[in-house]
Structures are given as C-alpha cells and as structure tokens.
Amino acid sequence: MNVMAKAEKKISSAFIYFFGSFGGILFGYDIGVMTGALPFLQADWHLENAASLVGWITSAVMFGAIFGGALAGQLSDKFGRRKMILMSAIVFMVFSVLSGVSPDMGEASAYYLIIVRMLLGLAVGAASALVPAYMSEMAPAKARGRLSGLNQTMIVSGMLLSYVVDFLLKDLPGEWAWRLMLGLAAVPALILFLGVLRLPESPRFLLRKGDEAQARKVLSYIRKNPADIDQELASIKETAKEERQANQKTSWSTLFSGKYRYLVIAGVGVAAFQQFQGANAIFYYIPLIVQKATGQAASSNLMWPIVQGIILVIGSLVYMWIADKFNRRTLLMVGGAVMGLSFILPAVINWMMPNMNPMTIVVFLCIYVAFYSFTWAPLTWVLVGEIFPLAIRGRASGLASSFNWIGSWLVGLIFPIMTASMPQEAVFAIFGIICILGVIFVKTCVPETRGHTLEEIEEQGTNRGRVKASNPEN
C-alpha cells in the first residue's frame, strides 16, 4: 500500500493533463484516419460504385459512438472514470487491429469492417465522454474553463496526426496502405492505456462511493494548499447532494416542461446543427471531393487533409485566444453565416460560370473549415456545458451528445450517396442552407451564456416558459 501511495505521489498535474488531452488525440485520430484509408480501400475492394457501403464503412464508428457515450456514462458511475477509460483503450486497441486485418472475402469484407468499426465506435464514444469528464473532475476550478478549448485542440491535433500518417503511408501497395492506416490507431490507444494505468481515480467518484480518505489523498497529489482541499471536498459533497436530489425529482418528461423546454431545445438544437451543417463531410471525404472536382485520383490528394488539419489546429488556438472576448451567440452567427456562404457560393458561381476552375470549391471549403474551427466546433460544447440547469444537466447533456453523434453518423452515411446522385455543388448548397438555418436558430432560440451565472441562464428559461404559458398561441 505504501509503495502504491509513493507511486501515486509522483504523479504531477501536468502528467494528468497530458493523458487527459491524449484521449482527445485518440478520438481525433480515428475521426481522421478513414479520410486517407478510404481511397485505397475502395480500390482494393472495388467499391467505387458502392456509395451506400462506403457511407456505412465511414460512418459505422459514429453509429457505435451514439451508444458508447451513453453506456460509458452509466458504467463510469458504477466502476469509476479511470477503469472505464482503461476499458475503452483496450476496446479501441482490439478493434483497430481487427480493422487492419479485415479478411478479403468480397462484399462480405465490407460488412465485416462495418461491424468491427461499429464496435470500435463504442470506445470512441466512451472516450469522447469519459476523458473530458475525468479531466474536469481532476482540474482546479480556475482551469476548467480552458479545458473545452484545450480538448478541442487535442482532438484536431489527433486528426492532423492521422492525416500526416495517411500521407506518409500513401506510397505503400494499396492493400498495405489502408490496413496500416487503420491498424496504427492501436498505437495511441496503447499509449493512453499505459498512461492512465498510473493515474488515480477521480475524487468525485471516490466521494460518491463513500471513500473520503482516498479522495482527500488524491486531491493532496494535485492541490498544494490544504485549505483548498477541504473547500473542494465540501463543494463536491454539496454538488453531489444537489444532483441526487435533482435526479430524484426529474424524469425525461421534465426536460420538456415549460420551465426547461426553452433551454433544452437551445442546447440540443445547437449540438444537432453542428453536425448537420456538414463539417464531417469534408473531414471524411476531402480526397474524394477533390477527385470529383478535378478528376485526379483520390489517393494522390492526401495533402489536402493535412491542409484542413492545419487550419483546424490554428482555428482551435484562435478560439482559445478570443473565447472570452466575444459573445457566444455572436461567434456562432458570424461563423454560421460565413460557413453557409462558403457552401452556397460555389453552386451560384458554377451556375453563372459553368467553366469555373474546379478547385474553386476546395478554396471555399478551406474558408468553411477555418470559420468552423473557432466558432461552431468548440462553442457547441462550451454552450452545452453552460446552458442546462443542474436539475436536468445529466439527461439534457446526454440527449445533446446523442443528437450530435446521430448527426455525425447521418452526414458520414449519406454524403457519398448524395454525391453519387447529384452534383457536388448542389450537395454542399444543401448543407449551406442548413448552416443559414442554424444562424436563424441561434438568433431566435439560443440565450447568451457568456458572463451569466447558471442561475441567470436558468431564469431566462423560466421567464420564457412563463411567456409561453401566458400566450399559448405563440
């Protein structure tokens, strides 16, 4: 026991933050890796004209993630954050390797890979939910506000890493290229597993299990002032008590009662719009988009994902710089407007000038990614974290996350089907209209949360509920 305590005391907060952030890199790597693998996989398995299968192979991870996040949240309350992160890393490693060694059995191979990637998605969804939660519970209160921006930076860094790996492996024989791209996802999962092995359990979970002595011990490793430890323990106890009382008084129907309906619609709506605006169509299919625009082979266009990845990383850093300088609504509306125009203008230009340079659409996609990276990408989760009152926070946050994953899955699934049946410019114009609808939604349905306490935000929902009750025809 003394040896274990001695080992845990050597753990620094920097080590905890690194491996908390590394979970974001793991998540981002898997989002991006199929971008480079898909052109080689299509050629190897002759799927060039199988749009629905391509969509399912690409989106299967997001489909699994819909269930992975919800399942991990419930299991982590029973077994602990740390154990579930370790389990997620193991699942991630196993199914990454199984993806890379997919048997070549004709069309049956595609169904095998779809199932394996669905199971891999359970780990992706779990990691995306568990790692930020663990980090926020370990971090001091003054650092929590920056974690959402830091987590976003790590996710897009993981995407950029996968794009670079794809580019470096592109000259291998086709079958080896895509298999290594998918299989190497096991490496960051192994690093995460080995790192988390050294981490202690969350103090919040320990207190919920009644182990105050161990919770105090863990806090002593990462807090310097004993008075801060006492204050934080008392705060965790009080919050846990309030959450238990809230859970006893609320149900799923409570989310849509007059008092909370406005805030639930706002938070869940923003989470859904973030995905239905079409960002993942770019992240998953940019080589195929360039191929369709220029006629060049997708496998020779793997520099474009790296360009997108660099833009995403720079944008996430820009967000961390401007996050507290502008209102949330302002950034979302400006970002959404530019994103919408970036999708709509290529269709308009192509209609007016049918002989336009085919790379024009790619330039506009880069503009879209730039504005998405410092507005809707990080702000969605900042707003979701701020907008839900304590009484409904657990259920409402889970609902928002589910709608976000559903949107991600559907976009990944239907984009190749849409582009197989209509011009690319028309497909992106549809996403552009959704972006504009997102701006209108933010303008009319989303309250400003920057600089407001949770109580003030909840009061906005209460007041809106009273107005609706007194004017039911509105």
Side-chain angles (χ1 to χ4, degrees):
M1 184 69 182
N2 291 334
V3 174
M4 183 65 181
K6 185 177 180 180
E8 288 185 347
K9 283 190 176 182
K10 294 180 181 179
I11 301 171
S12 67
S13 57
F15 185 91
I16 292 171
Y17 291 138
F18 176 80
F19 280 101
S21 298
F22 205 89
I25 290 177
L26 177 69
F27 176 31
Y29 185 95
D30 199 77
I31 290 177
V33 70
M34 186 55 78
T35 303
L38 193 58
F40 298 98
L41 178 62
Q42 278 186 296
D44 189 30
W45 285 357
H46 308 292
L47 299 176
E48 290 86 349
N49 298 315
S52 60
L53 278 179
V54 169
W56 269 107
I57 289 171
T58 304
S59 64
V61 165
M62 287 78 77
F63 184 81
I66 296 171
F67 307 98
L71 185 64
Q74 295 181 27
L75 292 177
S76 69
D77 286 340
K78 183 176 182 180
F79 299 109
R81 286 36 163 165
R82 176 179 169 275
K83 287 182 181 178
M84 289 309 302
I85 294 173
L86 289 170
M87 183 60 66
S88 299
I90 292 172
V91 172
F92 203 105
M93 279 187 282
V94 169
F95 289 104
S96 293
V97 172
L98 290 177
S99 297
V101 298
S102 299
D104 193 348
M105 304 179 297
E107 190 172 299
S109 301
Y111 295 110
Y112 165 89
L113 188 55
I114 289 169
I115 293 171
V116 167
R117 284 178 56 77
M118 281 183 184
L119 296 171
L120 176 61
L122 294 175
V124 171
S128 68
L130 291 171
V131 174
Y134 177 83
M135 286 179 67
S136 66
E137 292 179 4
M138 296 297 286
K142 63 182 180 181
R144 287 176 192 150
R146 296 192 299 272
L147 285 178
S148 59
L150 177 60
N151 191 50
Q152 177 66 19
T153 299
M154 293 301 106
I155 290 173
V156 295
S157 296
M159 293 172 68
L160 177 58
L161 175 64
S162 72
Y163 297 150
V164 171
V165 169
D166 289 348
F167 183 79
L168 293 175
L169 297 177
K170 69 182 177 65
D171 293 325
L172 292 175
E175 182 177 358
W176 279 101
W178 71 262
R179 290 184 184 279
L180 276 174
M181 290 172 185
L182 298 183
L184 284 175
V187 175
L190 176 61
I191 295 172
L192 176 66
F193 179 84
L194 295 175
V196 175
L197 274 179
R198 291 196 59 211
L199 299 186
E201 183 52 84
S202 154
R204 184 187 178 102
F205 174 78
L206 292 170
L207 273 180
R208 288 187 62 178
K209 294 300 180 183
D211 195 347
E212 182 173 344
Q214 186 64 23
R216 180 181 294 275
K217 191 174 184 181
V218 171
L219 283 174
S220 71
Y221 305 152
I222 53 179
R223 305 288 188 268
K224 295 180 180 179
N225 191 336
D228 291 342
I229 295 174
D230 292 333
Q231 184 177 355
E232 187 162 348
L233 282 172
S235 177
I236 293 173
K237 287 180 182 178
E238 182 61 27
T239 301
K241 179 181 177 182
E242 291 176 0
E243 287 181 346
R244 282 196 300 270
Q245 293 174 345
N247 289 334
Q248 291 171 358
K249 296 177 182 177
T250 61
S251 63
W252 283 105
S253 62
T254 308
L255 271 60
F256 301 99
S257 66
K259 181 178 180 180
Y260 298 120
R261 186 187 305 120
Y262 167 57
L263 298 177
V264 171
I265 290 174
V268 173
V270 167
F273 267 111
Q274 186 206 42
Q275 291 300 332
F276 284 109
Q277 288 168 336
N280 280 346
I282 303 173
F283 303 147
Y284 299 140
Y285 298 110
I286 185 64
L288 300 179
I289 292 169
V290 177
Q291 174 182 300
K292 192 160 186 176
T294 65
Q296 299 173 356
S299 57
S300 66
N301 289 316
L302 296 188
M303 181 58 72
W304 280 106
I306 295 178
V307 173
Q308 305 286 354
I310 292 172
I311 293 172
L312 283 169
V313 171
I314 293 173
S316 70
L317 297 176
V318 169
Y319 167 73
M320 293 180 71
W321 177 52
I322 68 171
D324 295 321
K325 294 182 170 66
F326 298 94
N327 285 343
R328 316 286 194 234
R329 279 162 40 95
T330 301
L331 288 174
L332 287 173
M333 287 189 288
V334 170
V338 176
M339 288 154 53
L341 290 174
S342 299
F343 275 162
I344 293 171
L345 285 178
V348 175
I349 294 172
N350 187 59
W351 174 66
M352 297 176 66
M353 296 185 297
N355 295 322
M356 78 171 188
N357 188 319
M359 290 304 291
T360 301
I361 190 172
V362 181
V363 173
F364 276 104
L365 292 184
C366 290
I367 296 172
Y368 173 100
V369 171
F371 276 81
Y372 175 81
S373 67
F374 68 86
T375 58
W376 281 82
L379 273 171
T380 294
W381 301 113
V382 173
L383 192 140
V384 165
E386 294 173 335
I387 201 169
F388 297 131
L390 179 64
I392 61 168
R393 187 171 301 153
R395 287 186 171 91
S397 297
L399 187 64
S401 178
S402 294
F403 269 83
N404 188 264
W405 279 116
I406 289 169
S408 179
W409 164 58
L410 285 175
V411 169
L413 175 63
I414 67 174
F415 180 77
I417 300 173
M418 293 172 71
T419 55
S421 59
M422 66 178 76
Q424 272 194 153
E425 294 83 358
V427 176
F428 283 120
I430 292 172
F431 285 128
I433 293 170
I434 295 174
C435 290
I436 301 302
L437 292 175
V439 172
I440 296 171
F441 178 82
V442 171
K443 175 71 174 176
T444 58
C445 300
V446 178
E448 180 56 56
T449 60
R450 171 177 169 261
H452 293 282
T453 66
L454 296 179
E455 290 73 23
E456 290 170 342
I457 296 168
E458 183 172 351
E459 183 63 22
Q460 292 185 62
T462 302
N463 292 339
R464 179 66 67 97
R466 289 172 182 155
V467 171
K468 291 290 184 181
S470 60
N471 298 281
E473 68 278 5
N474 294 330

